[in-house]
Amino acid sequence: MQKLCIFVSMTLFSYLGWYLGSLVSEFMTAFLVSGAFSLLGVWVGWKVHHSYLT
């Protein structure tokens, strides 16, 4: 269940980062912001799992 939480939140945060990055500039900004938001999504998914599902 932990891997599923991390995967879902990482995917959602990555998409959000790509969207916000593409509003600011072109491809490279969207790519970098998406990567940073993916890491944030991993952390959020881990926290959700350990706080609510264990």
Side-chain angles (χ1 to χ4, degrees):
M1 193 68 176
Q2 179 181 3
K3 289 181 182 180
L4 180 64
C5 287
I6 290 173
F7 175 74
V8 169
S9 66
M10 182 180 66
T11 302
L12 293 175
F13 274 78
S14 177
Y15 176 74
L16 177 65
W18 188 275
Y19 177 74
L20 294 175
S22 68
L23 291 177
V24 174
S25 183
E26 296 283 330
F27 173 78
M28 196 62 193
T29 303
F31 181 75
L32 292 173
V33 173
S34 173
F37 271 61
S38 291
L39 291 175
L40 180 64
V42 169
W43 182 78
V44 168
W46 182 82
K47 280 300 252 190
V48 165
H49 178 266
H50 284 283
S51 296
Y52 298 112
L53 300 175
T54 55

